[in-house]
Amino acid sequence: MSIELRNVSKRFGDVVAVDDVSFSVGDGELVALLGPSGGGKTTVLRMIAGLEMPSGGDLLIRGQRVNDVAVQQRNIGFVFQGYALFRTMSVFDNIAFGLSIRRWSRSDIQSRVEELVGIFGLGGLERRLPHQLSGGQRQRVAIARALASKPGVLLLDEPFAAVDAKIRQELREWLVRLHDQLDVTTVFVTHDQEEAMEVASRIVIFSRGKLEQIGSPRDVYEQPVNEFVARFIGVMNVLELTVKGGVAQFGQLSFPSHGKADGQTLRIGFRPYAIKVSRNPAEYPFRAVLKHVFFLGVMLRIELVTPEGSSLRVRISKEEFSRLGLVEDEPVSFFIREYRVLGGDGEFEAHANSVLPEGFGEGI
Amino acid sequence: MAGIVTRVRPRTDARSQRGSEEPAWVRGSLIAAGGLFAAVFLVLPLANVFWQAFSKGWFVYIQAIRHPDSWAAIRLTLVVAAITVPFNTVFGISAAWCIAKFEFRGKALLTTLIDLPFSVSPVVAGLMFAVLFGLQGYWGDWFQARDIKVIFATPGIVLATIFVTFPFVARELIPVMKAGGSDQEQAALTLGASGWQTFFRVTLPNIKWGLLYGIILCNARAMGEYGAVSVVSGHIGGRTDTLPLRIDKLYVGYQGAAAFACASLLALLALVTLAIKSYLEWRADAAHAQGQSDVSESDKTPNP
């Protein structure tokens, strides 16, 4: 089922938790609501579920306005952050709860629960109570319970927050496969950008109650609309430069001034992979010292410290690192392949994502 | 795959290695002092009640209890408890629900008001009702005009008892409900349950031990209340005497054995209440301990 929010707001007293948010989720999509805590994403999820009433705007499910439809009638499945399993009921009774409320026959309940127990790998645990389950099992019971009556929409609030790191990775892949198999419109809330990138087909990014950007993981990573998104999705190096004589400068580093007048500040941002490093101090225009190397598996993170004292994060592959023959605490030269001009208040300039002309800065 | 749930209790060793432990003689004398105090002030008087009740033999005991006025007192006590306890159970659940799950103006005031009967002397509580409903009271004329007797009759006794036993259920439930949060209730709503279905199928099972505990305490107090009932009852033998009032009357009338016979019934009630209370506490503890012990187990994510 499709979901649409039109100018939805939510106020708690004087606090605006969600401010004029509009977006839509297509039938069968898997969408992440991403943002730092307090960003309003959980409130949006709870409004879709009917657990909170919007203070303004319209909420549509399958094209029907549902603002005044009670939570019981919305035909949604909701998975709570702490799972909220009924602690006095067995796994079977937890999954069967919604079905017995809807007055399914005993045999229908039996076969539906058995089916879900099979899908979710909970065989043999039907008689257990929630406190006798591991974290991952509890989560699967919670999802099975939410899906039991075949809702059109599955909503998950921080589904992976309560399980440990090792299981989390498995669960992410599992959720994607589950979504492919069941083809149910799924919206989940997360504060972990990596999780959102990996699981969702589209990401809705919130900050302080406002929708910042909506797009595919690739879109938001490569075409962030503003500095907040750029810095929230992945790492970004940011430099502040002063424009002098038509060129923005920070010590040895200089960039075209992008139309800024002398004396103004220009902020530029660039991703760690946009830096090229060489052991030969003369190969690239800028100098730095290679300070730290962090091994992260296939990729390495290295830290460069410029003579001006700012440190830059660089990401290169293990192969490239050994090919270049880089050594810690040795001087290197570097060059920024690609950068963006950041506005003063976090907004991007229109001509963002400029490519530094080859050779620019040489001889300075 | 299926792990067996075993709860390991820390064994208390007689010879503890802890450096902070007091020497044996200190522990011994503290335990002895506590035990002696309990024996002299708690066990001995209670045993004495039964001793005195049977001091003139079985026959006098049975006679005392079968006296029409005693029977009437027992019946009245049961009637009062039968009205008071359900009323305060319903009130206690709703008050605890409001306080634990909602934020509203005047919440602190309601919480304080619930405790009021604990801080007001029962005699004062009785007097409050006498002033309101008595013949010279504010509403006395209105009730008399309609020939409804409140003071010196069963309704007055019920009102006074309700007031005194007001807090028991609510006070037991507030912490239980607060600890439970409202996630499970919200989950029930998203699964299609109505408010009542949520209450009976999710909330009530979660609070049942705390609720039972509150109810038996409420019942014990309802049956044993003396001060407030004494003011509004009028002490009409065979009609408005509850069991505690009857005991007092017999004792003051130099019928010691009969007084203790009736008292033994209340003492018995107290013992049964204590036994149930201990059982419930043990159950609640066990449930809590189980909830704490996490079953760690190989956790393989299935292929959907």
Side-chain angles (χ1 to χ4, degrees):
Chain A
M1 287 197 291
S2 60
I3 303 165
E4 194 181 343
L5 278 77
R6 288 187 192 154
N7 310 102
V8 170
S9 300
K10 176 68 184 177
R11 283 179 293 278
F12 295 105
D14 294 335
V15 183
V16 181
V18 177
D19 189 5
D20 196 21
V21 165
S22 304
F23 68 92
S24 60
V25 178
D27 201 9
E29 255 194 302
L30 174 52
V31 169
L33 308 183
L34 174 67
S37 46
K41 53 200 192 307
T42 295
T43 308
V44 167
L45 195 77
R46 290 173 62 85
M47 284 195 287
I48 297 172
L51 292 168
E52 304 282 358
M53 287 284 278
S55 315
D58 291 325
L59 229 158
L60 295 91
I61 295 180
R62 207 191 266 153
Q64 301 286 312
R65 188 175 180 274
V66 295
N67 284 39
D68 307 316
V69 177
V71 51
Q72 292 94 335
Q73 267 78 53
R74 286 202 190 177
N75 193 23
I76 49 97
F78 198 100
V79 178
F80 289 80
Q81 186 172 359
Y83 310 142
L85 297 179
F86 305 128
R87 61 186 178 88
T88 56
M89 294 183 207
S90 67
V91 167
F92 186 98
D93 290 340
N94 262 286
I95 299 174
F97 185 88
L99 306 178
S100 76
I101 290 288
R102 287 181 172 81
R103 301 190 184 287
W104 283 34
S105 75
R106 197 175 285 260
S107 58
D108 286 351
I109 292 178
Q110 184 75 32
S111 60
R112 176 64 176 154
V113 175
E114 273 168 18
E115 183 190 346
L116 287 161
V117 162
I119 295 173
F120 287 84
L122 295 164
L125 303 173
E126 293 94 331
R127 299 260 75 88
R128 294 259 187 107
L129 289 173
H131 66 76
Q132 296 167 319
L133 302 174
S134 69
Q137 289 166 342
R138 278 178 218 176
Q139 188 195 39
R140 278 180 267 141
V141 174
I143 299 177
R145 181 179 72 177
L147 290 172
S149 61
K150 301 180 180 165
V153 178
L154 178 63
L155 307 170
L156 305 102
D157 188 5
E158 296 274 4
F160 310 111
V163 289
D164 53 70
K166 187 176 147 287
I167 299 171
R168 202 176 303 161
Q169 184 59 41
E170 286 177 38
L171 284 171
R172 285 181 195 170
E173 294 161 16
W174 174 76
L175 183 68
V176 173
R177 272 179 282 141
L178 183 79
H179 174 259
D180 289 346
Q181 185 192 1
L182 298 178
D183 194 33
V184 55
T185 309
T186 305
V187 180
F188 74 100
V189 159
T190 179
H191 62 266
D192 181 341
Q193 50 94 8
E194 215 175 289
E195 192 171 289
M197 304 275 275
E198 190 175 330
V199 176
S201 54
R202 277 201 305 153
I203 301 177
V204 187
I205 298 166
F206 289 92
S207 159
R208 282 176 284 172
K210 285 199 162 67
L211 193 154
E212 300 286 352
Q213 189 172 3
I214 177 164
S216 70
R218 204 183 167 131
D219 283 348
V220 294
Y221 188 76
E222 291 182 348
Q223 309 288 333
V225 293
N226 58 31
E227 188 181 344
F228 171 81
V229 175
R231 300 185 81 159
F232 196 72
I233 304 282
V235 177
M236 181 168 258
N237 294 299
V238 176
L239 290 174
E240 285 197 14
L241 310 106
T242 314
V243 179
K244 216 181 264 171
V247 180
Q249 259 186 306
F250 178 71
Q252 53 165 343
L253 304 177
S254 64
F255 297 86
S257 67
H258 294 281
K260 294 249 179 187
D262 277 16
Q264 277 190 302
T265 320
L266 180 76
R267 300 174 75 238
I268 64 153
F270 46 95
R271 298 283 189 199
Y273 63 78
I275 301 179
K276 276 186 128 22
V277 187
S278 168
R279 212 181 157 183
N280 176 2
E283 181 164 1
Y284 295 125
F286 309 134
R287 319 265 171 273
V289 176
L290 200 167
K291 262 290 176 249
H292 299 287
V293 181
F294 302 92
F295 290 87
L296 309 168
V298 183
M299 296 299 283
L300 299 181
R301 195 177 92 210
I302 59 180
E303 220 175 279
L304 301 182
V305 178
T306 64
E308 296 77 30
S310 48
S311 69
L312 307 174
R313 286 171 156 194
V314 183
R315 202 168 255 249
I316 60 174
S317 71
K318 212 155 63 180
E319 287 75 25
E320 205 185 344
F321 184 79
S322 39
R323 188 174 58 77
L324 294 169
L326 297 173
V327 183
E328 256 177 288
D329 292 326
E330 277 199 4
V332 292
S333 65
F334 71 97
F335 158 67
I336 299 160
R337 272 191 300 140
E338 205 179 272
Y339 68 94
R340 286 160 168 273
V341 176
L342 310 176
D345 53 353
E347 294 301 317
F348 272 9
E349 302 262 305
H351 52 273
N353 210 19
S354 331
V355 175
L356 197 67
E358 201 74 46
F360 182 84
E362 263 176 355
I364 298 175
Chain B
M1 158 100 189
I4 298 162
V5 190
T6 46
R7 277 170 51 213
V8 184
R9 282 182 181 281
R11 204 177 300 162
T12 38
D13 205 327
R15 283 167 298 157
S16 171
Q17 299 298 311
R18 277 188 301 141
S20 61
E21 198 99 311
E22 282 78 15
W25 66 271
V26 174
R27 271 184 288 151
S29 40
L30 278 175
I31 292 169
L36 191 70
F37 183 86
V40 172
F41 287 94
L42 301 174
V43 181
L44 216 59
L46 192 64
N48 189 44
V49 168
F50 290 96
W51 179 259
Q52 292 288 338
F54 292 104
S55 62
K56 291 187 178 156
W58 272 101
F59 184 71
V60 175
Y61 183 84
I62 300 289
Q63 277 293 357
I65 287 178
R66 288 191 58 184
H67 187 280
D69 283 4
S70 300
W71 260 127
I74 292 169
R75 273 204 309 276
L76 181 60
T77 301
L78 292 176
V79 166
V80 169
I83 299 170
T84 306
V85 173
F87 179 89
N88 275 340
T89 302
V90 171
F91 166 79
I93 293 173
S94 17
W97 180 276
C98 291
I99 288 170
K101 315 247 168 176
F102 297 104
E103 290 301 324
F104 54 91
R105 222 179 264 269
K107 183 167 158 175
L109 187 69
L110 180 60
T111 315
T112 315
L113 274 179
I114 286 174
D115 282 344
L116 183 70
F118 275 171
S119 48
V120 170
S121 161
V123 178
V124 177
L127 279 172
M128 281 165 19
F129 286 102
V131 167
L132 282 180
F133 297 103
L135 280 183
Q136 276 80 45
Y138 294 114
W139 302 337
D141 292 341
W142 192 90
F143 280 103
Q144 207 190 6
R146 279 146 193 85
D147 207 20
I148 303 168
K149 274 188 80 81
V150 178
I151 298 304
F152 304 153
T154 310
I157 298 171
V158 170
L159 281 176
T161 311
I162 284 178
F163 179 86
V164 172
T165 57
F166 220 46
F168 285 98
V169 174
R171 283 193 57 121
E172 279 307 317
L173 288 185
I174 289 168
V176 179
M177 283 189 168
K178 268 190 179 156
S182 54
D183 270 9
Q184 290 178 50
E185 277 82 7
Q186 290 186 4
L189 296 180
T190 65
L191 292 165
S194 68
W196 284 113
Q197 283 171 321
T198 302
F199 177 75
F200 282 107
R201 299 181 59 164
V202 177
T203 311
L204 207 54
N206 276 340
I207 61 168
K208 68 179 171 206
W209 296 118
L211 181 63
L212 277 175
Y213 186 43
I215 288 175
I216 61 153
L217 285 183
C218 178
N219 182 58
R221 183 67 191 267
M223 289 190 174
E225 176 55 28
Y226 176 86
V229 170
S230 171
V231 176
V232 295
S233 124
H235 302 268
I236 307 165
R239 282 180 49 207
T240 63
D241 269 348
T242 59
L243 205 46
L245 300 182
R246 171 77 184 151
I247 294 165
D248 182 57
K249 212 181 239 179
L250 286 171
Y251 186 70
V252 173
Y254 301 106
Q255 293 177 269
F260 279 109
C262 291
S264 71
L265 291 181
L266 280 183
L268 205 63
L269 171 76
L271 290 178
V272 171
T273 303
L274 274 180
I276 301 175
K277 173 177 167 290
S278 309
Y279 172 74
L280 291 179
E281 278 177 344
W282 173 75
R283 278 301 306 249
D285 276 358
H288 183 71
Q290 261 191 328
Q292 298 287 306
S293 76
D294 215 15
V295 185
S296 57
E297 203 175 295
S298 69
D299 185 71
K300 276 202 69 186
T301 314
N303 288 318

